[in-house]
Amino acid sequence: MPMTILRNAGLTLLTLASLSSPAAAQSVVDQGTFSIEIDGSVVGTEEFKIRRVGFNRSAIFIADGVVALGDESGSQEIRHLLRVSGSAGAAEAYELTLSGAEPLEITMNLARPRFVSRFESPEGQEEREFRAREETRIIEVMVAHHYYFVRDLQEGESAPIIVPRDRREGTISTGSIVEEELRLGRNRVAARRVSFMDDASEHRVWFDRQGRVLRVEIPDLGYVATRTDLVGE
């Protein structure tokens, strides 16, 4: 029997309501495309858009993206929708839909003092709770644009994170921060390289002066995501 995908009506309707606000109250803070490599081979792309709705402390951010992966064993598409509050990037709700050989749907909503989540796959449904600690970020496995919401962490600072597909929560800590040039295509751009550590691995992230994510490396996974839309800037 095919799996029935149940959409998270709360998050979807809330998102649509936010994006229907007057144009003056919303703006696109970043939009683009990453090329994805695993162990040196290009395996797919990530397209995304991050919108800000409202102003100052009342602002919310809506980040949506599509990761398309493929190799000789098959292909999959992963759609993400994330809502965060304020400039600090604290998560409020999240939705993932994976299509392909192993379909999966994840929905998460903040219901303090916890996040209530549901995982649906052909094997069945699982419900799980995660702690909703102060300023919790959601950083999904190999989703580059989610690092936009840790861009303001300074050296020595840390924040709680949830990695939904891994069904894992932990802490991400900021290590060294280095100003350097990053090559994007034929161009060299001024960038800030930040080394983050979580409970599982190191994450190296390059940001530009506007806080946009330019490149992400996770050496333990052989994962590299590099912006392709900014090559001509």
Side-chain angles (χ1 to χ4, degrees):
M1 178 181 295
M3 180 179 66
T4 299
I5 297 295
L6 300 177
R7 305 302 296 170
N8 180 344
L11 176 55
T12 303
L13 293 177
L14 186 55
T15 301
L16 292 175
S18 298
L19 298 181
S20 65
S21 301
Q26 61 177 288
S27 61
V28 175
V29 297
D30 197 8
Q31 179 178 5
T33 305
F34 291 91
S35 173
I36 301 173
E37 299 177 31
I38 300 293
D39 296 329
S41 298
V42 176
V43 297
T45 61
E46 175 183 335
E47 297 183 359
F48 73 96
K49 180 183 289 187
I50 303 174
R51 301 176 178 90
R52 181 179 61 227
V53 182
F55 302 99
N56 303 322
R57 293 183 179 181
S58 63
I60 63 169
F61 290 79
I62 304 295
D64 61 273
V66 179
V67 175
L69 302 173
D71 57 25
E72 59 276 2
S73 64
S75 62
Q76 61 179 206
E77 182 180 86
I78 312 164
R79 294 185 173 272
H80 307 268
L81 186 61
L82 172 65
R83 173 186 166 120
V84 307
S85 63
S87 59
E92 291 187 339
Y94 178 65
E95 180 178 298
L96 173 149
T97 302
L98 187 157
S99 59
E102 299 179 352
L104 173 68
E105 178 164 297
I106 302 172
T107 58
M108 299 182 64
N109 283 287
L110 179 61
R112 293 192 183 277
R114 62 187 65 85
F115 283 92
V116 178
S117 64
R118 184 176 69 240
F119 297 78
E120 293 189 55
S121 71
E123 286 72 39
Q125 179 175 302
E126 173 191 358
E127 295 185 353
R128 183 180 292 243
E129 294 184 351
F130 299 92
R131 289 175 294 171
R133 294 176 288 173
E134 190 71 21
E135 296 188 357
T136 295
R137 271 71 159 183
I138 288 178
I139 300 180
E140 188 57 275
V141 177
M142 295 192 296
V143 177
H145 73 273
H146 282 182
Y147 291 91
Y148 179 85
F149 298 107
V150 293
R151 70 194 184 285
D152 291 331
L153 290 180
Q154 301 301 308
E155 187 169 349
E157 293 183 340
S158 61
I161 61 169
I162 297 174
V163 187
R165 284 184 68 186
D166 282 354
R167 295 164 169 79
R168 176 170 61 86
E169 57 186 316
T171 301
I172 192 166
S173 301
T174 310
S176 62
I177 300 177
V178 179
E179 302 290 337
E180 62 183 24
E181 286 190 337
L182 174 68
R183 180 180 291 277
L184 291 178
R186 297 180 179 180
N187 300 333
R188 290 184 177 274
V189 299
R192 176 171 52 95
R193 173 169 54 84
V194 184
S195 294
F196 297 103
M197 289 293 301
D198 67 10
D199 303 317
S201 58
E202 180 188 12
H203 308 241
R204 303 168 187 161
V205 186
W206 283 258
F207 301 92
D208 70 5
R209 292 173 179 173
Q210 300 176 47
R212 298 180 296 184
V213 178
L214 303 177
R215 181 180 173 93
V216 177
E217 296 179 0
I218 307 178
D220 288 351
L221 301 179
Y223 168 84
V224 177
T226 306
R227 287 289 285 265
T228 58
D229 59 294
L230 301 179
V231 170
E233 290 194 357

